[in-house]
Amino acid sequence: MAKCEVCGNDYEMSFEVHAAGAVHTFDSIECAAQRIAPICENCQCRILGHGLQADGQFYCCAHCARAKGVAELADHA
């Protein structure tokens, strides 16, 4: 068993995520998202999909990017 680095739960089905040269241990997708998902620069939601990026900033959608003055980004289906 391994302890989740977010909530501290010692869980027999914990899992590791290898990202950006680091190894993280979690007991749930919720904890993994809380720790490693980027945050939208405008609305502060966790970005769980592809999201958008401009000038080193992350946005959950083109609407949020426009709200911060980034007009050239567009959402794609």
Side-chain angles (χ1 to χ4, degrees), residues 29-65:
I29 295 297
E30 291 87 353
C31 285
Q34 187 65 30
R35 180 61 51 123
I36 63 176
I39 298 172
C40 177
E41 188 67 27
N42 183 59
C43 71
Q44 282 70 54
C45 74
R46 295 282 175 182
I47 302 169
L48 300 179
H50 291 283
L52 302 168
Q53 186 177 359
D55 300 321
Q57 303 298 312
F58 292 95
Y59 303 97
C60 64
C61 63
H63 170 80
C64 281

Side-chain angles (χ1 to χ4, degrees), residues 4 7 11 13-15 26-33:
C4 176
C7 70
Y11 185 49
M13 294 176 62
S14 61
F15 58 93
F26 303 110
D27 70 339
S28 66
I29 295 297
E30 291 87 353
C31 285

